[in-house]
Amino acid sequence: MEDIFKVAILSLIQGVTEFLPVSSTGHLIVGAAVLRFDALLPPIFEIFIQIGAVAAVLVYYRSLLGEQILSLRSSSEARRFLLMIALASVPVAALGIIYQQEIEALFFSPQVVAAALIFGGFAILFVERLPRFQDGFNDGPIDLGTVTIYQAALIGFVQVLALIPGMSRSGSSIVGGMLVGLSRRAATEFSFFLAIPLLGSATIYKFVTTAESLGSEQLMLLLLGAGLSGLFSWLAIDLLLRFISRRSFVAFGYYRIAAGALILLGLSSGLVS
């Protein structure tokens, strides 16, 4: 029961933070350290429950995605949009596969998370000070035909930073999108769609390579975490879109800096191990 309670708390953390520019993996690493959650060796749990976020995007955008898939043969715009998603996904996917073990060994620690949170917080504050983001918040939904090859490629390269826990996949892709000319909402929704191939493939790869070492109780905890994460992620998508329709990402920048500082304080006091 204690492990189930911890999984529920960590799933809430993951679901709420997955699409926010604050790093869900970073929050999970710190949350697991605070809760002393050791039923599953890291980063199996942290990676696997991301499949819930993938399911949340598929459900939330089911009509739009279904329309794009059904029109692939007849619509060049639909084919082009999928190409842009693939192009933006390649850099982080390739480097993640090649350097997986090195990344997990070097970067999966609260110390790295704290530093990355602070760095990313300043990056968000910087991009929000660009002149074009000083006027209003009336961004409409993303136009699937407006993302260029140049924009998708640069977003993909900026998103490589997300391999460092604490930098945030969504945060990196949103900041990258805003830097190359997308509006807040367009950058945010493009980040949602990028989650489908990236998080989905990472989850499947991690599960296939670790399944033999998992017992029935561990599998149950993973499935429970994925299900709860999906529910919380679905709620977070709608809340985030409502938020950015009225406000900027500045609050998230300050939150990241404060969270990083608190983690460093927790490490020095022994609260975070």
Side-chain angles (χ1 to χ4, degrees):
M1 288 301 296
E2 181 180 353
D3 283 337
I4 290 176
F5 172 76
K6 291 178 179 180
V7 165
I9 296 297
L10 293 174
S11 299
L12 173 62
I13 293 172
Q14 199 280 334
V16 169
T17 59
E18 177 57 53
F19 297 112
L20 302 182
V22 297
S23 179
S24 62
T25 302
H27 280 72
L28 276 177
I29 291 171
V30 175
V34 172
L35 293 174
R36 305 294 196 270
F37 179 66
D38 56 5
L40 289 156
L41 293 176
I44 297 173
F45 181 78
E46 289 84 348
I47 292 177
F48 183 85
I49 66 171
Q50 293 175 338
I51 197 67
V54 175
V57 175
L58 293 175
V59 172
Y60 193 89
Y61 287 100
R62 58 190 180 279
S63 297
L64 175 60
L65 292 172
E67 179 182 336
Q68 295 300 308
I69 292 173
L70 291 175
S71 61
L72 278 176
R73 288 189 176 182
S74 59
S75 172
S76 59
E77 183 180 89
R79 293 191 296 271
R80 185 176 179 280
F81 177 69
L82 291 181
L83 176 62
M84 296 304 100
I85 294 295
L87 179 61
S89 301
V90 166
V92 67
L95 291 176
I97 292 173
I98 295 171
Y99 297 107
Q100 176 201 359
Q101 293 182 346
E102 290 83 356
I103 291 169
E104 293 176 1
L106 292 174
F107 298 134
F108 274 69
S109 70
Q111 292 88 344
V112 172
V113 170
L117 281 171
I118 293 172
F119 177 83
F122 282 112
I124 289 174
L125 296 181
F126 169 79
V127 76
E128 280 289 357
R129 291 183 66 85
L130 295 177
R132 67 175 176 273
F133 295 114
Q134 302 304 306
D135 301 324
F137 302 99
N138 56 349
D139 296 337
I142 188 172
D143 182 346
L144 303 181
T146 61
V147 180
T148 67
I149 293 177
Y150 165 79
Q151 289 173 323
L154 286 183
I155 291 171
F157 282 111
V158 174
Q159 194 174 222
V160 167
L161 294 172
L163 292 172
I164 302 173
M167 283 305 298
S168 171
R169 184 206 60 81
S170 58
S172 298
S173 55
I174 289 172
V175 167
M178 292 172 68
L179 283 173
V180 298
L182 298 184
S183 67
R184 287 188 188 90
R185 173 148 184 163
T188 301
E189 292 195 292
F190 193 69
S191 174
F192 291 163
F193 297 130
L194 287 178
I196 298 173
L198 290 174
L199 300 187
S201 59
T203 300
I204 294 171
Y205 177 78
K206 177 56 66 175
F207 182 74
V208 169
T209 56
T210 59
E212 293 183 356
S213 64
L214 299 174
S216 58
E217 292 185 3
Q218 292 175 313
L219 285 173
M220 184 272 291
L221 292 176
L222 286 176
L223 293 174
L224 175 63
L228 291 175
S229 170
L231 173 61
F232 297 133
S233 295
W234 180 78
L235 295 172
I237 290 173
D238 189 61
L239 290 174
L240 179 58
L241 292 178
R242 291 174 184 270
F243 180 89
I244 63 173
S245 69
R246 303 185 299 272
R247 299 178 179 87
S248 71
F249 287 112
V250 167
F252 294 111
Y254 286 122
Y255 169 80
R256 289 179 62 111
I257 295 170
L262 285 175
I263 293 170
L264 293 176
L265 180 62
L267 287 166
S268 64
S269 66
L271 177 62
V272 179
S273 60

